[in-house]
Amino acid sequence: MSALGALLAPRSATGSTGLRSRILLGVVCAGYSVGAAVGWGSPQVAVIMGDFGLAAAALVAAVSCFLYARAVRGRLRPAWLLFSLSSLMAACGNAVWGWYEVILGVPVPTPSLADLFFLCFAPPAIVGLLVLAKRPVTRAGWVCLALDAWLIGGSLLTLAWSLALAHTTHLAGVQDTSVAPAALSLAYPLLDIVLVSMVLALHFRRAGVNRSAVNTAIAALALTVLSDAVFTSPLLRSTYHSGQLLDAGWFAGSLLLAYAPWGARCAARPSARPGPPRAIASRPIAGSLAALTPYLAAAVCTLGILYNVVDGRRVDRVVIFTGCTVVLALVVRQGIMLLDNISLTQELAQKENHFRSLVQGSSDVIMIAAPNGTLRYVSPAAAGVYGREAEGLVGSELSSIIHPDDLGRFVHEVRRFLAAPPHEEPTTRIECRFRSGTGDWLNVESTVNRHQGGLLLNSRDVTERVRLQAQLQHNAEHDPLTDLPNRALFTARVRQALGGRRSGDPGTAVLFIDLDGFKAVNDTIGHQAGDELLVQAGRRLQDSVRAGDTAARLGGDEFAALIMGDGTRDQGAREYQVHEIADRLRLTLSQPYRIGPSEVRVAASIGVAFAEPAISPTDLMRNADLAMYRAKAGGKDRVELYAPQMQADVVRRSELATRLRTALREGEFALLHQPVVHLASGSVAAVAAQARWRSAQGILFTPAEFLRVSGDDDRTAELGRWLLEEAVTQAADRARAGHPVAVSVRLSAARLLEAASPPGSIEALLTRHGLPSGALMIEVADSDPRVSFDALEQRLVALRRLGVRIALDGFGSGFAAINALRRLPIDVLKLDRNLVEGVVESARLHKITSGLLRIACDLGLQSVADGVDVPEQVLALRAMGCTHGQGMAFSGPLDEYRLRRALVRGEFPVPGIPSPRPVMAGGSIPLLTGSHAETPVPPT
């Protein structure tokens, strides 16, 4: 027998319940029997125990059955109430018997009130047994039940009449001429016969509910009837007196009936170790006895008649009549059973054909495994599902078609299933791999049921479903473009690395990688080319890491790598090693990419973070992300190791950004203006609007500080809108106050084209405040490669038609300045302050600045030098042809009060000019007239 066959072999469960109460019941009954056998020591005690002892036992049975009937609900409740009434009648009869013998000291008269109570004992018990019986569902069943009862009762009546009842009736008629004694002498045995008939007939038809209690109650009534039968015999009744051994039978019957409901309830409690029910083995025997009951009854009836014939006596008419009715009942019953069997056979054949069609036509494979693991039946669907004929599988071992790697799990699950109680787990589901006819392994899902000690398996092929689930799982954990692990799987791998056997290894590192310049690839040659670049970058990254490491794509142009630790104790050496790995990755990813016919170059910024004790995966990945952003901020195309100061910087920026949002809502921003001075005369030609933030703590932040925190998001856009509107409003107020000086506002090209700044917003602002033409200057920064020059050109042309002057801010830095000069409608060039700072010390910068100013002059554009802080810069720039300057050499940013005082003065001292003439600021702003190349309006 195989291991699986040994597993399927049935197991027996041992154990008993209610043993203590059964022992106590046996001790009490045995004690009463011993006392009755020895005569209780005295005649007086024997009479008391024989009368009131029996009455007490019957009363206990009556109370017990009544309390149980009150405690339970269901169809059997009336039966226990009737048993209680029957026991009460027996208790009253014994009490009356004791009244005569013990209290009055006289013999019990015949008949007496005790006989009435004793005769009332049988009818409630008979009706109670009818309630306990399983009710037939058809008329034929009811008829068979009545016939079975008469077969048993008639047979017993025939036998009893032949043996004793006829003689008893004759003696009663001879000794007493009255009818009552004769009827009483026959009433007891006849009622006992009826009761015995019901006990025998209903024993095989009892209901399945609380079977143990019913069996115990039937046994108690059977013991009582047996004692009654012995008592009614003429030989014993003439010599009987209370306290004899016969009383022990009645006593035990009453106590057994009292024990029946409660003791059976204890026995019905589930045992700690499940096992098959014991009654299963006895069911075939019980069924056989039930089938033989009519024939046994007829045989008993025949024996009663033969007894009279063999004894040479004349056969009594009662015996003949009863025997004839018994035979007739047997014939009728057999006829009914024959018709019922024919109907059942036809119905069974129809159902068998129906289920055979279902099994053979099912797409699932149905298999039956014997207790030894051998396949006894396989449905024809096996040919289509497994590619193997059903006949070829029958007789083989179930374990022979299961994958060896799945056999252990299959056996474990079957062992657990068979050990579980059937009512708690009637079925289970197991997935494993079966061998097909081609030798391939199919994923099969089987529903397993118990079947005659073996297994019934309903199996279906789920190979496609398993493949689809595996594909869905792969798609859920991998990037669809590069097929690298995605963020979810990468996080799980990091968590596994930090929590596994290497959890304390500080050499485990996470690398965050960002491709510098990838957005330009998308903007210049298209997103399809960008996707191809990402695929190649992912392939390079995958080929560069070790077999135990993990390369992943987190999204966009961000990649990551998990470098597992090697147990090195020297942290410095490990950091150097990982830094070398990261640097090689940077060089690999920075190599040219072949995209179609052209080569594309991008760089890689890499941040590295090492595992620390008790660090979480989220914190480790955050540290690597911070290091990567520090690498990008430090110039890109580099590797940066995480340091705790990075987190502190992030916290500081986050707090500053939070305060910035509050400042925008609560109006903590102030507008300052820095004068733009004509380098030839010192007059104030315009003012440049600048925002300052004075926080609630009194800290004054410059634009470079808070704009770096706010970044390119909605807060910066909101701040830009506020700056433009406040600058135009204050410029209109100054013009009405007699200081019509032009104001310049710096806006990025992206802000001019964003959806939050519609084309009519600046126009509506100028119209609302009545600002004249040429009084507003927009300084445009062209450093954003995402901005479309076509859209920007259209926007600036529309603004110039309204009289808005356009300045190119940061001229001399960046790579798009020449293209902006060629395409955009520029009025003013504003030199970058990096050129101005070194124009005196550096001859190279001097030549570059001089050349740029020459270009501006040749194009007829005004020029403004930003960051003019010392007199030497003023002299050098004026000598080069720069027309205007802005910086600390003239004035810093001024609030509104100081600005108006400077505008009243109208000019600032300029180095190299001995006596500047006072000029009113309001007369120094010529309006926009003439062509674009001829405008004399000074820049901001």
Side-chain angles (χ1 to χ4, degrees):
M1 184 183 297
S2 64
L4 185 60
L7 171 65
L8 297 181
R11 301 178 181 179
S12 61
T14 59
S16 59
T17 57
L19 182 61
R20 186 178 304 173
S21 58
R22 295 176 187 177
I23 293 176
L24 179 62
L25 177 64
V27 169
V28 173
C29 293
Y32 190 93
S33 300
V34 172
V38 299
W40 298 102
S42 70
Q44 186 65 24
V45 175
V47 172
I48 294 175
M49 294 300 297
D51 295 335
F52 292 112
L54 294 181
L59 184 61
V60 169
V63 173
S64 175
C65 292
F66 179 75
L67 293 178
Y68 181 74
R70 289 189 58 185
V72 299
R73 295 290 185 271
R75 189 180 69 84
L76 301 184
R77 182 183 182 187
W80 295 106
L81 289 175
L82 291 170
F83 290 156
S84 175
L85 178 60
S86 177
S87 298
L88 182 62
M89 294 297 102
C92 294
N94 284 294
V96 171
W97 199 287
W99 173 265
Y100 281 107
E101 289 189 339
V102 178
I103 305 300
L104 300 180
V106 297
V108 180
T110 302
S112 67
L113 186 60
D115 294 319
L116 177 62
F117 285 120
F118 286 143
L119 291 176
C120 291
F121 165 80
I126 294 172
V127 177
L129 290 173
L130 286 174
V131 175
L132 288 180
K134 181 187 295 184
R135 298 177 181 177
V137 295
T138 62
R139 293 181 180 179
W142 285 105
V143 173
C144 288
L145 177 62
L147 292 175
D148 288 344
W150 174 243
L151 285 171
I152 297 174
S155 301
L156 293 178
L157 177 62
T158 301
L159 185 61
W161 191 275
S162 299
L163 295 176
L165 292 184
H167 181 65
T168 301
T169 304
H170 177 72
L171 290 178
V174 172
Q175 296 175 2
D176 196 341
T177 58
S178 62
V179 179
L184 186 62
S185 62
L186 292 177
Y188 282 112
L190 291 178
L191 286 175
D192 288 339
I193 289 173
V194 173
L195 190 56
V196 170
S197 301
M198 295 307 302
V199 168
L200 294 177
L202 299 178
H203 174 69
F204 306 108
R205 292 179 175 267
R206 59 190 183 276
V209 181
N210 205 356
R211 186 181 299 272
S212 180
V214 174
N215 287 339
T216 307
I218 290 176
L221 293 176
L223 184 59
T224 303
V225 170
L226 179 62
S227 300
D228 286 345
V230 176
F231 171 73
T232 55
S233 64
L235 297 177
L236 182 62
R237 188 169 185 180
S238 60
T239 61
Y240 170 79
H241 60 83
S242 297
Q244 288 184 344
L245 187 60
L246 181 62
D247 292 346
W250 286 315
F251 184 83
S254 297
L255 289 188
L256 193 61
L257 184 61
Y259 165 81
W262 308 104
R265 169 181 285 189
C266 296
R269 291 175 184 171
S271 59
R273 298 183 60 182
R278 296 183 179 180
I280 293 178
S282 63
R283 285 177 184 174
I285 299 177
S288 300
L289 292 177
L292 293 175
T293 299
Y295 303 101
L296 293 176
V300 170
C301 182
T302 304
L303 289 176
I305 297 174
L306 292 177
Y307 175 79
N308 287 327
V309 175
V310 172
D311 196 32
R313 291 182 296 175
R314 185 176 59 87
V315 180
D316 196 281
R317 287 176 296 177
V318 175
V319 174
I320 295 176
F321 176 78
T322 305
C324 292
T325 56
V326 167
V327 173
L328 180 61
L330 179 61
V331 172
V332 173
R333 187 186 187 282
Q334 290 303 109
I336 294 175
M337 294 302 298
L338 179 61
L339 295 177
D340 195 19
N341 288 339
I342 294 174
S343 176
L344 289 176
T345 302
Q346 294 176 350
E347 183 179 358
L348 180 61
Q350 183 179 2
K351 290 183 177 180
E352 183 179 358
N353 292 332
H354 175 70
F355 284 108
R356 182 181 292 108
S357 300
L358 289 178
V359 170
Q360 294 180 352
S362 175
S363 60
D364 294 348
V365 180
I366 300 175
M367 299 183 296
I368 298 177
N372 61 358
T374 304
L375 292 176
R376 296 190 305 187
Y377 173 79
V378 179
S379 66
V385 177
Y386 300 151
R388 305 177 66 176
E389 295 297 331
E391 292 79 4
L393 289 174
V394 174
S396 61
E397 292 285 342
L398 178 60
S399 58
S400 65
I401 63 174
I402 300 178
H403 196 283
D405 294 341
D406 298 339
L407 183 59
R409 179 170 53 86
F410 183 88
V411 171
H412 175 75
E413 177 62 21
V414 170
R415 186 188 302 275
R416 185 202 60 79
F417 170 65
L418 294 178
H423 64 277
E424 293 183 2
E425 190 173 4
T427 182
T428 188
R429 193 179 300 271
I430 304 176
E431 284 194 19
C432 60
R433 286 168 288 179
F434 280 8
R435 186 189 301 275
S436 67
T438 60
D440 299 330
W441 293 102
L442 303 176
N443 294 94
V444 175
E445 180 185 66
S446 301
T447 302
V448 183
N449 295 272
R450 301 171 179 86
H451 180 74
Q452 297 180 359
L455 297 176
L456 174 63
L457 297 94
N458 190 344
S459 306
R460 63 190 61 87
D461 183 10
V462 293
T463 303
E464 290 301 322
R465 190 195 72 185
V466 171
R467 290 176 181 172
L468 179 59
Q469 288 177 344
Q471 184 63 40
L472 292 176
Q473 182 70 19
H474 180 85
N475 294 342
E477 295 179 342
H478 289 77
D479 174 59
L481 182 62
T482 62
D483 203 38
L484 292 176
N486 58 13
R487 183 182 294 271
L489 181 56
F490 183 77
T491 304
R493 296 276 179 86
V494 173
R495 182 179 296 107
Q496 183 180 1
L498 296 180
R501 58 185 180 88
R502 295 184 177 179
S503 58
D505 189 353
T508 301
V510 170
L511 280 60
F512 264 45
I513 307 164
D514 186 83
L515 300 182
D516 303 322
F518 175 74
K519 292 182 176 61
V521 174
N522 277 338
D523 295 337
T524 54
I525 61 178
H527 290 275
Q528 186 174 0
D531 291 345
E532 178 61 27
L533 188 148
L534 291 176
V535 171
Q536 295 185 26
R539 191 178 301 118
R540 293 183 185 182
L541 180 61
Q542 182 68 44
D543 295 340
S544 301
V545 298
R546 300 172 302 180
D549 299 334
T550 301
R553 182 191 176 206
L554 305 183
D557 59 344
E558 290 189 356
F559 294 85
L562 172 63
I563 309 299
M564 300 298 296
D566 55 2
T568 303
R569 295 291 182 180
D570 190 350
Q571 185 64 16
R574 180 58 178 167
E575 290 182 2
Y576 178 77
Q577 181 183 5
V578 173
H579 192 281
E580 280 192 337
I581 295 174
D583 202 53
R584 286 199 302 271
L585 284 176
R586 181 187 62 81
L587 294 175
T588 301
L589 296 174
S590 301
Q591 294 297 319
Y593 294 84
R594 173 63 63 176
I595 308 295
S598 59
E599 285 189 350
V600 178
R601 289 181 178 270
V602 293
S605 296
I606 302 179
V608 182
F610 287 91
E612 299 174 358
I615 191 172
S616 65
T618 303
D619 292 340
L620 181 58
M621 295 172 64
R622 180 205 60 199
N623 294 344
D625 198 17
L626 291 177
M628 184 266 290
Y629 278 106
R630 177 61 62 90
K632 292 179 70 68
K636 302 180 180 180
D637 193 17
R638 55 183 295 173
V639 176
E640 190 78 27
L641 296 180
Y642 170 78
Q645 182 60 33
M646 297 179 184
Q647 178 63 21
D649 293 341
V650 170
V651 173
R652 184 184 63 83
R653 287 197 301 268
S654 176
E655 294 175 351
L656 188 59
T658 302
R659 296 206 304 269
L660 178 60
R661 288 193 295 268
T662 305
L664 287 171
R665 291 195 304 267
E666 298 181 358
E668 295 181 1
F669 280 90
L671 189 64
L672 302 181
H673 294 84
Q674 189 172 26
V676 179
V677 179
H678 196 285
L679 297 182
S681 63
S683 61
V684 179
V687 291
Q690 299 178 3
R692 292 292 187 274
W693 172 28
R694 186 178 298 277
S695 67
Q697 292 80 14
I699 303 175
L700 187 66
F701 293 97
T702 63
E705 292 175 310
F706 62 75
L707 288 179
R708 183 174 63 251
V709 174
S710 62
D712 188 14
D713 55 8
D714 294 339
R715 292 189 298 275
T716 305
E718 184 179 354
L719 181 60
R721 290 191 294 270
W722 175 86
L723 177 63
L724 178 61
E725 184 169 356
E726 191 69 16
V728 172
T729 301
Q730 292 189 15
D733 292 341
R734 287 192 295 271
R736 286 190 291 269
H739 306 289
V741 63
V743 63
S744 66
V745 179
R746 186 181 186 277
L747 293 177
S748 66
R751 292 287 167 252
L752 286 172
L753 299 178
E754 68 180 0
S757 178
S761 59
I762 298 179
E763 292 83 343
L765 189 63
L766 295 175
T767 303
R768 184 169 67 250
H769 293 283
L771 207 62
S773 177
L776 176 62
M777 178 79 70
I778 299 296
E779 301 177 3
V780 181
D782 66 328
S783 59
D784 193 345
R786 296 172 297 178
V787 175
S788 171
F789 264 92
D790 295 334
L792 182 60
E793 181 181 6
Q794 295 176 6
R795 178 66 173 142
L796 295 181
V797 169
L799 290 176
R800 286 196 76 253
R801 292 196 187 102
L802 299 175
V804 177
R805 313 304 305 277
I806 307 299
L808 184 59
D809 185 44
F811 188 69
S813 64
F815 301 97
I818 302 300
N819 194 24
L821 282 178
R822 182 176 62 87
R823 300 186 56 182
L824 301 181
I826 303 299
D827 297 307
V828 179
L829 292 180
K830 193 168 184 179
L831 294 179
D832 187 77
R833 64 167 42 256
N834 292 327
L835 295 176
V836 177
E837 288 176 352
V839 73
V840 177
E841 295 83 0
S842 174
R844 185 180 181 87
L845 287 179
H846 188 280
K847 291 180 181 180
I848 293 174
T849 305
S850 177
L852 295 176
L853 290 174
R854 190 178 305 112
I855 292 174
C857 182
D858 292 343
L859 294 176
L861 303 178
Q862 298 292 324
S863 56
V864 176
D866 188 14
V868 182
D869 297 332
V870 295
E872 292 79 5
Q873 294 173 346
V874 177
L875 296 175
L877 291 170
R878 187 172 58 191
M880 296 178 193
C882 184
T883 58
H884 296 79
Q886 171 187 343
M888 297 303 295
F890 308 106
S891 173
L894 304 175
D895 57 19
E896 187 65 21
Y897 173 75
R898 291 182 175 84
L899 176 61
R900 294 200 179 191
R901 289 185 58 184
L903 292 178
V904 170
R905 188 171 65 248
E907 62 182 19
F908 289 91
V910 178
I913 301 178
S915 56
R917 299 192 307 270
V919 180
M920 295 301 294
S924 66
I925 306 179
L927 297 180
L928 181 60
T929 58
S931 66
H932 167 65
E934 298 173 352
T935 175
V937 179
T940 57

